[in-house]
Amino acid sequence: MIESKEKKERLGLILGFIGVVCFSLTLPSTRIAVEYFGPTVVGLGRTVIASILVTIVLFIRKEKLPTAKQFKGLIIVALGAVLGFPLLTSWAMESLPVSHGAVEIALLPLATAGFAIIRAGEIPSFKFWIASIVGSMAVIIYAIHLGFGHLQYADMALLAAVIILALSYAEGGRLAQDLGSWQVIAWALVIAAPFFIIPVLLNLSSEMIHVPLKAWMSFIYLAVVSQFLAYVAWYSGLAMGGISKVSQIQYLQPFLMILFAALLLNESITLFTMVTAVIVVFSVILGKNTAVRKVQPISHDPLPQSSETHKLKSID
């Protein structure tokens, strides 16, 4: 029995690592594809393709339809994970190097934890705020330094993408308790895709047929892997290996992004980039594992309710 549990946890860690590696290739793939297809086709077109795949899977598995209440939450997930993040990062990758984006997106787990705290009616501790300020300031200083003294619009787009995706992740984590983990992103894709078809069609051109093979491979990767299969691997890993263990692998993501940027795009890895990435990751680790105070709702019960302090669990 113990051996079976250990095998399950080991498999969960492997799946979690696969998910992180897949997500780490998202920005490099976006950087390649957006040069030839443009941000609208890359950002929204991949959702249309992914939605076809997930519709087939949902139909075969006979997954239950979301309730009206769940539908409202899925809209938030769709606005962040399906619309906002892909579109904003596609636009930003037209002008920013991947290593630059990797440092800024490293704030995502901390931002997700922050929204999860607020969504659960909890008060962030002083340490959480310190970690958030340190991590955010490191990213802003890094962006200003590379932007020759000012934040570029692409930097602001990336930071907005992080905030929007973090909100959708926090909402998705809540919905996953009822719908299931990967089913959340699947239903979000199905809900959003019909609204993206017309914008994508308007931005298609006959010249796209002749783009290099690497651009087509990158676009297909974004649609099939980044937008769906990576989520399946990641959430399955969390379920099998445990959130507290598997979520730690996520700290590797910015470094893997920087590595892939160097290998696939020949981007130079500067000491300043690595130092900033380390500072941000340590801030995320501190912030995600700090204590929070639960806010008790107002009650007419004559018995007093005590507040409790607990550790914030990792949420992706």
Side-chain angles (χ1 to χ4, degrees):
M1 186 71 178
I2 296 177
E3 185 178 353
S4 176
K5 182 180 179 181
E6 289 179 350
K7 286 183 178 180
K8 184 178 180 181
E9 290 181 349
R10 194 180 304 117
L11 179 58
L13 288 169
I14 293 172
L15 288 172
F17 180 73
I18 291 173
V20 167
V21 172
C22 291
F23 287 133
S24 300
L25 281 163
T26 298
L27 284 191
S29 299
T30 301
R31 186 74 176 85
I32 294 171
V34 77
E35 182 180 349
Y36 300 94
F37 294 105
T40 301
V41 174
V42 173
L44 303 183
R46 70 201 210 189
T47 294
V48 176
I49 295 175
S51 67
I52 297 173
L53 297 176
V54 301
T55 299
I56 295 172
V57 174
L58 290 170
F59 179 77
I60 293 175
R61 291 176 56 90
K62 297 180 180 178
E63 296 287 341
K64 62 178 182 180
L65 292 172
T67 63
K69 185 177 180 180
Q70 292 169 340
F71 186 83
K72 294 179 181 178
L74 286 170
I75 292 177
I76 296 176
V77 176
L79 289 174
V82 181
L83 173 62
F85 185 81
L87 194 59
L88 288 170
T89 52
S90 296
W91 182 76
M93 284 299 99
E94 281 189 301
S95 57
L96 291 180
V98 171
S99 56
H100 191 133
V103 171
E104 298 186 24
I105 289 179
L107 282 174
L108 179 59
L110 187 60
T112 303
F115 277 116
I117 290 172
I118 296 171
R119 192 70 179 81
E122 298 166 345
I123 297 179
S125 69
F126 179 72
K127 287 184 179 180
F128 179 87
W129 288 116
I130 291 297
S132 299
I133 291 171
V134 171
S136 300
M137 288 304 298
V139 166
I140 291 172
I141 291 171
Y142 176 79
I144 291 176
H145 174 76
L146 294 185
F148 302 104
H150 64 278
L151 277 174
Q152 301 180 55
Y153 287 118
D155 287 305
M156 290 185 278
L158 276 179
L159 293 175
V162 168
I163 294 172
I164 292 171
L165 184 60
L167 175 59
S168 71
Y169 272 2
E171 184 67 21
R174 185 186 66 81
L175 285 172
Q177 299 174 11
D178 298 323
L179 279 177
S181 53
W182 66 267
Q183 288 90 336
V184 171
I185 188 64
W187 283 115
L189 285 167
V190 171
I191 291 171
F195 299 97
F196 299 165
I197 294 175
I198 293 178
V200 171
L201 290 176
L202 291 175
N203 283 272
L204 291 177
S205 68
S206 58
E207 297 177 355
M208 292 180 180
I209 300 175
H210 306 290
V211 302
L213 179 61
K214 66 177 183 178
W216 276 110
M217 291 179 64
S218 297
F219 179 67
I220 293 172
Y221 178 88
L222 291 169
V224 178
V225 181
S226 293
Q227 203 67 35
F228 180 55
L229 293 182
Y231 282 99
V232 175
W234 176 246
Y235 282 125
S236 297
L238 289 175
M240 297 178 69
I243 292 175
S244 60
K245 287 184 178 180
V246 178
S247 64
Q248 307 303 311
I249 303 173
Q250 193 177 29
Y251 301 136
L252 294 174
Q253 187 166 312
F255 303 107
L256 289 173
M257 278 189 184
I258 293 171
L259 176 61
F260 288 135
L263 294 176
L264 300 177
L265 302 170
N266 296 318
E267 290 187 9
S268 59
I269 303 177
T270 65
L271 179 61
F272 185 46
T273 296
M274 292 305 298
V275 170
T276 306
V278 169
I279 293 174
V280 174
V281 169
F282 272 107
S283 299
V284 171
I285 293 173
L286 175 64
K288 284 188 68 178
N289 292 283
T290 191
V292 294
R293 182 162 59 87
K294 183 73 175 179
V295 178
Q296 295 293 344
I298 297 175
S299 174
H300 297 291
D301 192 333
L303 295 177
Q305 295 183 355
S306 60
S307 61
E308 58 179 352
T309 302
H310 63 283
K311 292 289 183 180
L312 174 66
K313 292 184 179 180
S314 302
I315 298 177
D316 182 64

